[in-house]
Amino acid sequence: MNDDSEFTHPLLLFCKGGNETAAKFEQKLSSFEPGSDAWKEFLKTHCDSQNHVVQTMSFQEIHKSGDPQWLDFLFAHLQRATVYTDWLSIICAIGELGGFRSREDYAPYLESEDEYVRAMALFITRYLPREEALAILIDKLNHDPSLGVRQSAAKRLMELGSNAGLPLLLEVFHEQDQSFFSKSRCAADLAVLRHPEGLQFLQQQIATHHSLSRQDRTYILFAVCDVFVREGLELPPCERPADLPLELIFQRATDWLEAQLAVIAKK
């Protein structure tokens, strides 16, 4: 494993360009001719990095290359990946390079005895034809023995515009012993599906956000931004975290939530 002593910063920061590790990595990568043997070797080496920022950026550069010759290398990494971020990075790289061509390419992961692997494998459906993706997700929603996998299937169905997972999302939303973070994220899913309970929860939390703890206010912000991204709504520009226009974001979210509730009320 590469210990990447020159890439010292452990996490990606909120604002683009604010991360020293990312900047160092990009500077070093730019010293090689794209597609050259040295460029490829640099990326291969850092796909085994102990620094997940560097590792993730390496997989991102591979999928941006558009070169399907990387697929054997990526599938080999996928078979031994054990970390959530590794799985997502590798799946995205394989998917972007068109590696999931047939069921044989991904069935072993969907049918794994490890529920973690099955849950991560649901991200593969992002790179499949819609009807094929829906069939896989509905099957997992109805038959997988793991509640976590079924919840992941419900969320992915929501992302595809299907409300097939709505009953399970509502069940999770109403659970008594869940964290505020989980409830706010579930509310965001329900809001995307235009369910009034999700819309109303976010609306109420925004209206009283000054009374929330800093942590819970951050969770609501995450949930709101998630809705913005899924709905294709524009977030205000921000150069650094200290300048985050929280009130403006919440106001735009409130306007959107009120508009959706008004539409429901007219039905």
Side-chain angles (χ1 to χ4, degrees):
M1 296 287 282
N2 190 322
D3 67 0
D4 303 296
S5 58
E6 67 178 306
F7 301 115
T8 56
H9 198 293
L11 297 172
L12 286 172
L13 298 182
F14 181 81
C15 294
K16 183 179 180 181
N19 185 280
E20 185 178 352
T21 301
K24 286 183 177 180
F25 176 85
E26 291 175 346
Q27 182 180 19
K28 185 69 174 179
L29 182 64
S30 67
S31 67
F32 303 109
E33 180 69 24
S36 66
D37 288 343
W39 180 85
K40 291 178 181 178
E41 188 59 33
F42 177 82
L43 292 178
K44 286 180 179 179
T45 299
H46 290 92
C47 282
D48 286 324
S49 172
Q50 293 178 351
N51 184 312
H52 288 298
V53 173
V54 172
Q55 187 180 49
T56 297
M57 293 183 72
S58 298
F59 286 121
Q60 287 175 341
E61 291 297 327
I62 288 173
H63 93 238
K64 283 159 56 178
S65 74
D67 184 356
Q69 292 186 7
W70 283 101
L71 286 171
D72 287 344
F73 172 83
L74 293 170
F75 272 112
H77 267 70
L78 186 62
Q79 290 175 5
R80 64 175 186 265
T82 58
V83 180
Y84 176 81
T85 51
D86 297 351
W87 263 83
L88 290 182
S89 299
I90 300 168
I91 285 173
C92 288
I94 294 174
E96 292 292 339
L97 295 177
F100 299 119
R101 298 186 183 90
S102 67
R103 187 172 179 83
E104 287 72 24
D105 294 324
Y106 56 82
Y109 308 108
L110 289 170
E111 298 165 3
S112 171
E113 293 183 0
D114 188 335
E115 65 180 85
Y116 168 85
V117 173
R118 297 199 306 277
M120 290 297 98
L122 295 183
F123 285 94
I124 294 171
T125 60
R126 295 184 176 187
Y127 303 98
L128 302 179
R130 177 181 171 81
E131 292 307 313
E132 185 177 354
L134 288 172
I136 290 170
L137 293 166
I138 290 174
D139 178 70
K140 286 296 179 184
L141 175 71
N142 293 330
H143 302 296
D144 197 278
S146 165
L147 176 60
V149 175
R150 297 198 300 275
Q151 289 176 347
S152 295
K155 288 175 68 70
R156 180 67 187 121
L157 284 163
M158 176 272 300
E159 292 171 1
L160 288 175
S162 169
N163 64 359
L166 180 58
L168 181 57
L169 292 174
L170 280 170
E171 180 182 326
V172 173
F173 182 73
H174 289 137
E175 284 180 355
Q176 295 293 326
D177 299 326
Q178 67 172 314
S179 67
F180 186 80
F181 172 76
S182 297
K183 193 173 185 70
S184 61
R185 293 304 297 267
C186 192
D189 296 337
L190 293 174
V192 171
L193 290 173
R194 304 300 192 272
H195 194 281
E197 289 195 54
L199 296 165
Q200 289 165 357
F201 178 84
L202 293 180
Q203 182 187 49
Q204 291 165 0
Q205 299 307 315
I206 291 171
T208 59
H209 76 86
H210 290 293
S211 65
L212 297 176
S213 68
R214 182 175 181 180
Q215 184 178 59
D216 286 350
R217 191 182 302 120
T218 301
Y219 291 157
I220 287 297
L221 176 63
F222 284 166
V224 165
C225 290
D226 194 19
V227 172
F228 271 52
V229 170
R230 293 178 183 177
E231 291 297 312
L233 303 172
E234 185 177 356
L235 284 163
C238 175
E239 294 297 326
R240 53 182 189 160
D243 298 329
L244 184 69
L246 183 65
E247 296 298 337
L248 179 57
I249 293 173
F250 280 161
Q251 184 56 58
R252 290 187 181 180
T254 297
D255 293 343
W256 184 83
L257 292 164
E258 289 177 349
Q260 306 313 311
L261 287 167
V263 171
I264 293 172
K266 291 179 181 178
K267 292 181 179 179

